Tab-separated table of all heavy atoms in Angstrom:
chain	number	residue	atom	x	y	z
A	469	ALA	N	-228.185	71.155	-86.439
A	469	ALA	CA	-228.532	69.898	-85.778
A	469	ALA	C	-229.613	69.215	-86.605
A	469	ALA	O	-230.599	69.853	-86.994
A	469	ALA	CB	-229.029	70.139	-84.357
A	470	TYR	N	-229.403	67.945	-86.892
A	470	TYR	CA	-230.381	67.141	-87.624
A	470	TYR	C	-230.923	66.071	-86.682
A	470	TYR	O	-230.157	65.392	-85.983
A	470	TYR	CB	-229.740	66.446	-88.822
A	470	TYR	CG	-229.110	67.362	-89.846
A	470	TYR	CD1	-227.769	67.716	-89.766
A	470	TYR	CD2	-229.845	67.854	-90.920
A	470	TYR	CE1	-227.179	68.541	-90.709
A	470	TYR	CE2	-229.267	68.686	-91.870
A	470	TYR	CZ	-227.931	69.019	-91.759
A	470	TYR	OH	-227.356	69.833	-92.696
A	471	ALA	N	-232.238	65.912	-86.666
A	471	ALA	CA	-232.849	64.897	-85.798
A	471	ALA	C	-234.292	64.696	-86.231
A	471	ALA	O	-234.792	65.372	-87.144
A	471	ALA	CB	-232.780	65.335	-84.336
A	472	ASN	N	-234.967	63.753	-85.563
A	472	ASN	CA	-236.384	63.590	-85.889
A	472	ASN	C	-237.149	64.846	-85.488
A	472	ASN	O	-236.715	65.619	-84.631
A	472	ASN	CB	-236.952	62.311	-85.252
A	472	ASN	CG	-237.205	62.427	-83.755
A	472	ASN	OD1	-238.018	63.228	-83.310
A	472	ASN	ND2	-236.508	61.621	-82.971
A	473	ALA	N	-238.283	65.070	-86.120
A	473	ALA	CA	-239.004	66.338	-85.989
A	473	ALA	C	-239.417	66.634	-84.551
A	473	ALA	O	-239.447	67.802	-84.133
A	473	ALA	CB	-240.242	66.318	-86.889
A	474	GLU	N	-239.678	65.602	-83.766
A	474	GLU	CA	-240.092	65.803	-82.376
A	474	GLU	C	-238.961	66.419	-81.556
A	474	GLU	O	-239.181	67.301	-80.724
A	474	GLU	CB	-240.519	64.459	-81.778
A	474	GLU	CG	-241.338	64.590	-80.497
A	474	GLU	CD	-241.831	63.252	-79.986
A	474	GLU	OE1	-241.573	62.231	-80.653
A	474	GLU	OE2	-242.462	63.234	-78.919
A	475	ILE	N	-237.728	65.962	-81.798
A	475	ILE	CA	-236.574	66.529	-81.101
A	475	ILE	C	-236.327	67.962	-81.565
A	475	ILE	O	-236.069	68.860	-80.752
A	475	ILE	CB	-235.319	65.662	-81.335
A	475	ILE	CG1	-235.453	64.334	-80.592
A	475	ILE	CG2	-234.048	66.402	-80.881
A	475	ILE	CD1	-234.307	63.362	-80.835
A	476	ILE	N	-236.425	68.197	-82.873
A	476	ILE	CA	-236.225	69.547	-83.404
A	476	ILE	C	-237.248	70.516	-82.824
A	476	ILE	O	-236.935	71.684	-82.557
A	476	ILE	CB	-236.283	69.541	-84.947
A	476	ILE	CG1	-235.145	68.693	-85.520
A	476	ILE	CG2	-236.232	70.961	-85.496
A	476	ILE	CD1	-233.754	69.160	-85.153
A	477	ASP	N	-238.454	70.053	-82.596
A	477	ASP	CA	-239.471	70.908	-81.971
A	477	ASP	C	-239.016	71.397	-80.600
A	477	ASP	O	-239.257	72.553	-80.234
A	477	ASP	CB	-240.799	70.148	-81.837
A	477	ASP	CG	-241.549	70.033	-83.156
A	477	ASP	OD1	-241.209	70.771	-84.103
A	477	ASP	OD2	-242.464	69.191	-83.245
A	478	PHE	N	-238.369	70.514	-79.840
A	478	PHE	CA	-237.867	70.935	-78.528
A	478	PHE	C	-236.723	71.930	-78.678
A	478	PHE	O	-236.615	72.878	-77.895
A	478	PHE	CB	-237.434	69.717	-77.706
A	478	PHE	CG	-238.573	69.033	-77.017
A	478	PHE	CD1	-239.051	67.814	-77.465
A	478	PHE	CD2	-239.193	69.625	-75.924
A	478	PHE	CE1	-240.114	67.184	-76.833
A	478	PHE	CE2	-240.263	69.006	-75.284
A	478	PHE	CZ	-240.721	67.778	-75.742
A	479	TYR	N	-235.857	71.708	-79.661
A	479	TYR	CA	-234.790	72.690	-79.916
A	479	TYR	C	-235.394	74.066	-80.194
A	479	TYR	O	-234.944	75.085	-79.656
A	479	TYR	CB	-233.941	72.239	-81.105
A	479	TYR	CG	-232.677	71.511	-80.717
A	479	TYR	CD1	-232.681	70.133	-80.484
A	479	TYR	CD2	-231.479	72.191	-80.582
A	479	TYR	CE1	-231.526	69.459	-80.134
A	479	TYR	CE2	-230.305	71.540	-80.238
A	479	TYR	CZ	-230.340	70.164	-80.014
A	479	TYR	OH	-229.184	69.512	-79.655
A	480	ASN	N	-236.400	74.116	-81.049
A	480	ASN	CA	-237.036	75.396	-81.388
A	480	ASN	C	-237.788	75.999	-80.206
A	480	ASN	O	-237.938	77.218	-80.105
A	480	ASN	CB	-237.983	75.205	-82.572
A	480	ASN	CG	-237.237	74.961	-83.866
A	480	ASN	OD1	-236.126	75.458	-84.058
A	480	ASN	ND2	-237.838	74.194	-84.765
A	481	LYS	N	-238.239	75.157	-79.319
A	481	LYS	CA	-238.957	75.609	-78.134
A	481	LYS	C	-238.029	76.319	-77.148
A	481	LYS	O	-238.412	77.301	-76.500
A	481	LYS	CB	-239.598	74.383	-77.454
A	481	LYS	CG	-240.623	74.666	-76.384
A	481	LYS	CD	-241.236	73.346	-75.911
A	481	LYS	CE	-242.371	73.564	-74.928
A	481	LYS	NZ	-242.963	72.273	-74.472
A	482	VAL	N	-236.781	75.842	-77.056
A	482	VAL	CA	-235.849	76.330	-76.055
A	482	VAL	C	-234.946	77.452	-76.576
A	482	VAL	O	-234.492	78.307	-75.812
A	482	VAL	CB	-234.995	75.156	-75.518
A	482	VAL	CG1	-233.912	75.639	-74.570
A	482	VAL	CG2	-235.890	74.135	-74.828
A	483	LYS	N	-234.676	77.490	-77.857
A	483	LYS	CA	-233.748	78.483	-78.415
A	483	LYS	C	-234.271	79.897	-78.212
A	483	LYS	O	-235.463	80.129	-78.000
A	483	LYS	CB	-233.540	78.224	-79.916
A	483	LYS	CG	-234.705	78.721	-80.796
A	483	LYS	CD	-234.389	78.572	-82.262
A	483	LYS	CE	-235.485	79.143	-83.152
A	483	LYS	NZ	-235.538	80.614	-83.131
A	484	TYR	N	-233.351	80.879	-78.319
A	484	TYR	CA	-233.781	82.274	-78.304
A	484	TYR	C	-234.524	82.578	-79.605
A	484	TYR	O	-234.229	81.993	-80.661
A	484	TYR	CB	-232.579	83.204	-78.127
A	484	TYR	CG	-231.966	83.089	-76.748
A	484	TYR	CD1	-230.661	82.639	-76.574
A	484	TYR	CD2	-232.710	83.423	-75.617
A	484	TYR	CE1	-230.109	82.521	-75.302
A	484	TYR	CE2	-232.165	83.314	-74.348
A	484	TYR	CZ	-230.863	82.861	-74.195
A	484	TYR	OH	-230.332	82.741	-72.935
A	485	PRO	N	-235.507	83.484	-79.549
A	485	PRO	CA	-236.411	83.665	-80.690
A	485	PRO	C	-235.718	83.932	-82.025
A	485	PRO	O	-236.011	83.274	-83.021
A	485	PRO	CB	-237.278	84.854	-80.266
A	485	PRO	CG	-237.265	84.812	-78.773
A	485	PRO	CD	-235.910	84.325	-78.402
A	486	TYR	N	-234.800	84.884	-82.052
A	486	TYR	CA	-234.129	85.242	-83.317
A	486	TYR	C	-232.645	84.892	-83.199
A	486	TYR	O	-231.779	85.758	-83.272
A	486	TYR	CB	-234.313	86.732	-83.607
A	486	TYR	CG	-235.757	87.158	-83.711
A	486	TYR	CD1	-236.355	87.923	-82.710
A	486	TYR	CD2	-236.532	86.813	-84.813
A	486	TYR	CE1	-237.678	88.327	-82.805
A	486	TYR	CE2	-237.850	87.214	-84.923
A	486	TYR	CZ	-238.426	87.965	-83.916
A	486	TYR	OH	-239.733	88.366	-84.021
A	487	ASN	N	-232.353	83.621	-83.032
A	487	ASN	CA	-230.983	83.217	-82.730
A	487	ASN	C	-230.022	83.354	-83.909
A	487	ASN	O	-228.834	83.579	-83.718
A	487	ASN	CB	-230.948	81.780	-82.190
A	487	ASN	CG	-231.484	80.758	-83.171
A	487	ASN	OD1	-232.406	81.049	-83.933
A	487	ASN	ND2	-230.925	79.560	-83.161
A	488	VAL	N	-230.525	83.237	-85.149
A	488	VAL	CA	-229.669	83.351	-86.332
A	488	VAL	C	-230.009	84.651	-87.048
A	488	VAL	O	-231.136	84.831	-87.533
A	488	VAL	CB	-229.856	82.154	-87.286
A	488	VAL	CG1	-228.950	82.304	-88.517
A	488	VAL	CG2	-229.540	80.845	-86.559
A	489	ASN	N	-229.048	85.578	-87.122
A	489	ASN	CA	-229.356	86.910	-87.636
A	489	ASN	C	-229.546	86.934	-89.147
A	489	ASN	O	-229.231	85.960	-89.858
A	489	ASN	CB	-228.271	87.912	-87.207
A	489	ASN	CG	-226.940	87.643	-87.862
A	489	ASN	OD1	-226.780	87.777	-89.076
A	489	ASN	ND2	-225.952	87.260	-87.066
A	490	ALA	N	-230.048	88.032	-89.648
A	490	ALA	CA	-230.398	88.159	-91.061
A	490	ALA	C	-229.180	88.053	-91.971
A	490	ALA	O	-229.235	87.428	-93.041
A	490	ALA	CB	-231.119	89.483	-91.296
A	491	LEU	N	-228.061	88.662	-91.579
A	491	LEU	CA	-226.857	88.618	-92.406
A	491	LEU	C	-226.334	87.198	-92.529
A	491	LEU	O	-225.903	86.773	-93.610
A	491	LEU	CB	-225.786	89.534	-91.819
A	491	LEU	CG	-226.074	91.038	-91.919
A	491	LEU	CD1	-225.053	91.830	-91.111
A	491	LEU	CD2	-226.061	91.489	-93.369
A	492	THR	N	-226.348	86.450	-91.440
A	492	THR	CA	-225.914	85.056	-91.483
A	492	THR	C	-226.816	84.240	-92.394
A	492	THR	O	-226.336	83.421	-93.192
A	492	THR	CB	-225.901	84.460	-90.067
A	492	THR	OG1	-224.888	85.113	-89.290
A	492	THR	CG2	-225.608	82.966	-90.098
A	493	GLN	N	-228.120	84.461	-92.301
A	493	GLN	CA	-229.045	83.729	-93.176
A	493	GLN	C	-228.784	84.056	-94.642
A	493	GLN	O	-228.792	83.172	-95.510
A	493	GLN	CB	-230.489	84.036	-92.798
A	493	GLN	CG	-230.889	83.490	-91.431
A	493	GLN	CD	-232.371	83.624	-91.142
A	493	GLN	OE1	-233.210	83.346	-91.991
A	493	GLN	NE2	-232.702	84.037	-89.919
A	494	GLU	N	-228.538	85.329	-94.947
A	494	GLU	CA	-228.247	85.733	-96.327
A	494	GLU	C	-227.005	85.024	-96.862
A	494	GLU	O	-226.999	84.492	-97.980
A	494	GLU	CB	-228.031	87.248	-96.402
A	494	GLU	CG	-229.298	88.073	-96.322
A	494	GLU	CD	-228.996	89.557	-96.422
A	494	GLU	OE1	-227.874	89.909	-96.853
A	494	GLU	OE2	-229.868	90.367	-96.069
A	495	LYS	N	-225.937	85.036	-96.066
A	495	LYS	CA	-224.683	84.430	-96.502
A	495	LYS	C	-224.800	82.908	-96.605
A	495	LYS	O	-224.160	82.281	-97.464
A	495	LYS	CB	-223.552	84.815	-95.552
A	495	LYS	CG	-223.170	86.292	-95.610
A	495	LYS	CD	-222.695	86.666	-97.012
A	495	LYS	CE	-222.298	88.124	-97.109
A	495	LYS	NZ	-221.845	88.491	-98.479
Side-chain angles (χ1 to χ4, degrees):
Y470 301 92
N472 76 63
E474 197 176 358
I475 290 176
I476 297 300
D477 284 345
F478 278 107
Y479 263 86
N480 289 329
K481 193 175 185 180
V482 174
K483 78 174 184 71
Y484 291 117
Y486 301 108
N487 61 326
V488 180
N489 68 67
L491 290 171
T492 294
Q493 293 188 44
E494 284 181 16
K495 292 300 180 180

